Amino acid sequence: MDAYDGGSGAPQGRSGSGEARAPRAEDALPGGALPGPRSELPSPEAGPRAELGEAQADAPEAGNPEAGEREAVASEVGSPEAGEREAVASEVGSPEAGEREAVASEAGDPGGSATGPRTGVAALSPRYQVCAALALAVVAVAVCLHVGMVFLHVAPSNTVTKAHGKAIDEWIYPEFEQNWKLFAPNPLQQNISVQVRAQVRTADGGSRTTNWYDLSAQDGRAIDGNLVPSHTQQNELRRAWDFFTATHDNDNRSAGVRGALAETYLRRIVVLRLERGGLTADGGVVERVQVRSRTTDVTPPKWSTEKVSTSPVYRELSWWSVPDGATEGGTR
């Protein structure tokens, strides 16, 4: 309550004037509402501080936004006060302390804490980086050289192949040979099996002739289910037979200077296979061998109208004598 001096005049406010102060525009509350007239407070000389505390407590009732209502008023006018700063900052997208690391990571800021140690070649010392670069250069040169050699090998005859044909063949044969059988107008549609039988001299001086051994079927069983079959299992016997047929006519007579070499190569392979198969385990000795091929046409698919014979065709060679040391590198 405001102090009253006991005179006949009107009650005096804190300003000491005899009239109550009219509300001004700057005292208006948010939304255009004007606050009510201030309650008259006692002058500092009139009462103790406790009465002044009561006057201040009564002030909110009169509509004056004092300390108790500042947070509510600030919330109504949209001003982010201390209690709402984090929420307002989150709504407007301002990265506060808790979000700085994530924002730096998303923006690719190299100064953020998301950067890790170097990996790969960049993590090596300069000396090892130079070594890695040289190794990659050597591999690239080797790959380019190999691709060039294969291209010249399969390309039609030209000036380069005529001048450097020997060097190209030495690079290609025997591991990287290429041919056009798969891409020919009529690719190979036959199954060819190489078979052999032997005449063995037994330990007691007798002689016996074995049955036919299908060496191609043995290679097929070794390859089937093997993720990394050897080059010998896949190509050695097949290539030896192709070499023989390319250097001999249909009557098995040599058609060139390489015919004898083809016979020796094929004979050595079949004798080695027989001995490794345990044919001479009882002390016997292989004296002669005979090789033949069994050719059958591949059955056409059901939707094809092609008609082929399913009867096998045999090509049987004459008996070859096995000289001493034939399995140890002899070429006689």
Side-chain angles (χ1 to χ4, degrees):
M1 299 297 294
D2 291 337
Y4 181 64
D5 58 358
S8 61
Q12 299 294 327
R14 296 181 62 180
S15 61
S17 62
E19 297 179 358
R21 183 172 60 85
R24 293 178 298 179
E26 54 268 21
D27 295 332
L29 291 175
L34 294 175
R38 290 174 176 266
S39 298
E40 295 181 358
L41 300 177
S43 62
E45 299 83 2
R49 292 185 178 182
E51 295 180 1
L52 180 60
E54 293 179 0
Q56 291 177 353
D58 294 338
E61 297 180 0
N64 184 20
E66 296 297 335
E69 294 182 341
R70 286 178 183 174
E71 184 174 353
V73 173
S75 175
E76 292 177 2
V77 300
S79 174
E81 292 298 323
E84 298 179 334
R85 286 177 183 173
E86 184 175 354
V88 173
S90 175
E91 292 176 1
V92 300
S94 174
E96 292 298 323
E99 300 178 338
R100 287 176 183 171
E101 183 176 353
V103 172
S105 176
E106 294 177 358
D109 185 6
S113 60
T115 57
R118 295 183 300 174
T119 60
V121 178
L124 301 175
S125 62
R127 178 188 304 175
Y128 289 103
Q129 288 181 2
V130 172
C131 294
L134 291 176
L136 292 175
V138 170
V139 172
V141 171
V143 170
C144 293
L145 178 62
H146 178 71
V147 172
M149 287 293 189
V150 173
F151 172 77
L152 293 175
H153 174 70
V154 300
S157 180
N158 53 68
T159 305
V160 177
T161 56
K162 291 178 180 178
H164 306 284
K166 184 177 180 180
I168 295 173
D169 291 342
E170 290 177 352
W171 180 277
I172 294 297
Y173 291 104
E175 289 84 3
F176 308 116
E177 181 184 1
Q178 306 291 318
N179 57 64
W180 295 100
K181 289 183 179 180
L182 180 63
F183 306 100
N186 293 313
L188 185 63
Q189 299 179 359
Q190 296 175 329
N191 289 322
I192 302 176
S193 299
V194 179
Q195 301 174 349
V196 62
R197 65 177 178 176
Q199 194 174 67
V200 181
R201 185 177 72 249
T202 60
D204 56 4
S207 179
R208 65 183 179 91
T209 302
T210 65
N211 295 324
W212 290 99
Y213 295 96
D214 194 337
L215 302 182
S216 297
Q218 294 177 7
D219 288 344
R221 288 191 294 269
I223 294 172
D224 189 19
N226 189 351
L227 297 178
V228 285
S230 68
H231 182 74
T232 301
Q233 294 169 338
Q234 297 179 82
N235 299 317
E236 183 183 54
L237 182 63
R238 177 182 62 84
R239 293 298 309 280
W241 181 253
D242 289 343
F243 185 25
F244 178 85
T245 57
T247 56
H248 290 73
D249 58 18
N250 292 332
D251 295 328
N252 301 325
R253 292 178 300 189
S254 179
V257 295
R258 304 179 68 189
L261 178 62
E263 293 179 7
T264 303
Y265 183 51
L266 181 60
R267 183 189 64 203
R268 185 185 304 174
I269 290 175
V270 298
V271 171
L272 282 171
R273 297 286 294 273
L274 290 173
E275 292 183 349
R276 291 172 182 172
L279 183 61
T280 59
D282 56 354
V285 178
V286 177
E287 291 185 328
R288 295 197 304 169
V289 293
Q290 186 179 24
V291 181
R292 74 176 183 181
S293 66
R294 183 180 185 271
T295 304
T296 55
D297 293 329
V298 176
T299 304
K302 295 180 180 180
W303 48 262
S304 176
T305 58
E306 184 180 2
K307 303 296 183 181
V308 297
S309 175
T310 57
S311 300
V313 177
Y314 294 93
R315 180 176 179 176
E316 194 170 293
L317 308 183
S318 59
W319 284 92
W320 289 336
S321 298
V322 179
D324 296 337
T327 60
E328 300 175 358
T331 57
R332 295 191 300 258

